[in-house]
Amino acid sequence: MSRRPVMITPELLLRAYRAGLFPMAESRRGDRLYWLDPEWRGVLPLEGFHLPRRLRRTVLSGAFTVTADADFAGVIAGCAAPAPGREDSWINPEIERLFTELHEMGHAHSVEVWQEGCLLGGLYGVSLGGAFFGESMFSRARDVSKVALVHLVARLRLGGFTLLDTQFITEHLEQFGAVEIPRAEYKARLERALATRARWFSEPEGLEEMIRAL
């Protein structure tokens, strides 16, 4: 007798995140999701975030308008779209559906970067307790995804978050202080973060001051 595939619901997805797992599809057209639990996990310490001077000037220059939760669908679509050096994506329609539902439930959030009304980039992720699980980011102009990340970190610090999970490490993230930690240490940090009360602010007070302090 064949087994029916388990229907993944937003509730199941949240339970997986609490256990330290996250889903990915093989490709944009793939119809199956796989649960990942890496031996080494990428994290970006919120208190040890390194903001280069040039980028700080860019973030504070007013060249971009930055919002949160203003266009979640646009951000996840941008993350899934082909880009130079990334012709395929692990974000399939099922991932888009699940995270859009999480957004409607208040557990998934986006940061958008605009210029003259055009969405140039952004990022999205999941929040649970004091943990934020960064999922993906995209950029259509120089520094845009970095600007989104700086705004994310400032919001998380203002909201009392203690863990920013990046899943994996890239050179892009290493320049900000991201590190890899063993699975057991990650799950210990995750347990503490889940027990922490934090709040996601779409429009927090003191945002510019926090960015200056990073």
Side-chain angles (χ1 to χ4, degrees):
M1 181 181 295
S2 61
R3 296 179 61 187
R4 292 183 178 180
V6 176
M7 175 65 177
I8 298 179
T9 64
E11 291 75 19
L12 178 60
L13 193 54
L14 291 177
R15 290 202 297 272
Y17 275 97
R18 290 188 179 98
L21 284 69
F22 60 91
M24 295 182 76
E26 276 189 326
S27 67
R28 176 67 174 158
R29 297 185 178 182
D31 59 0
R32 294 184 60 188
L33 300 186
Y34 298 86
W35 296 109
L36 279 75
D37 186 12
E39 183 177 352
W40 290 86
R41 194 69 162 248
V43 296
L44 183 52
L46 292 171
E47 295 300 323
F49 183 77
H50 172 65
L51 178 56
R53 290 184 180 180
R54 184 193 65 80
L55 182 57
R56 179 184 281 107
R57 289 195 297 269
T58 299
V59 173
L60 297 171
S61 69
F64 303 106
T65 299
V66 182
T67 58
D69 292 335
D71 190 0
F72 186 88
V75 168
I76 197 169
C79 291
R86 191 194 68 196
E87 284 66 36
D88 201 356
S89 171
W90 56 267
I91 303 172
N92 68 356
E94 180 72 355
I95 290 280
E96 288 190 80
R97 178 189 68 82
L98 285 167
F99 282 86
T100 298
E101 291 185 24
L102 285 184
H103 174 63
E104 293 169 351
M105 294 166 61
H107 283 295
H109 302 284
S110 59
V111 175
E112 305 89 14
V113 183
W114 310 79
Q115 193 170 62
E116 297 180 356
C118 179
L119 180 62
L120 291 185
L123 57 80
Y124 76 96
V126 174
S127 66
L128 283 171
F132 190 91
F133 308 86
E135 287 296 312
S136 188
M137 60 176 61
F138 79 103
S139 179
R140 295 178 179 139
R142 182 185 180 188
D143 287 338
V144 169
S145 62
K146 296 177 183 178
V147 170
L149 180 61
V150 171
H151 273 260
L152 172 67
V153 169
R155 281 174 166 80
L156 296 182
R157 288 183 56 167
L158 286 169
F161 286 80
T162 59
L163 176 66
L164 174 50
D165 173 9
T166 66
Q167 299 177 350
F168 302 108
I169 288 293
T170 64
E171 291 184 4
H172 177 81
L173 294 171
E174 281 183 325
Q175 65 182 298
F176 297 105
V179 296
E180 282 187 319
I181 59 175
R183 179 190 294 147
E185 182 180 345
Y186 168 76
K187 293 195 174 182
R189 293 192 190 187
L190 174 60
E191 183 177 1
R192 293 193 296 270
L194 291 173
T196 301
R197 295 185 65 180
R199 183 178 176 184
W200 170 266
F201 292 101
S202 294
E203 298 182 6
E205 294 184 7
L207 182 63
E208 183 173 325
E209 290 77 5
M210 176 59 74
I211 291 172
R212 293 183 184 277
L214 291 177

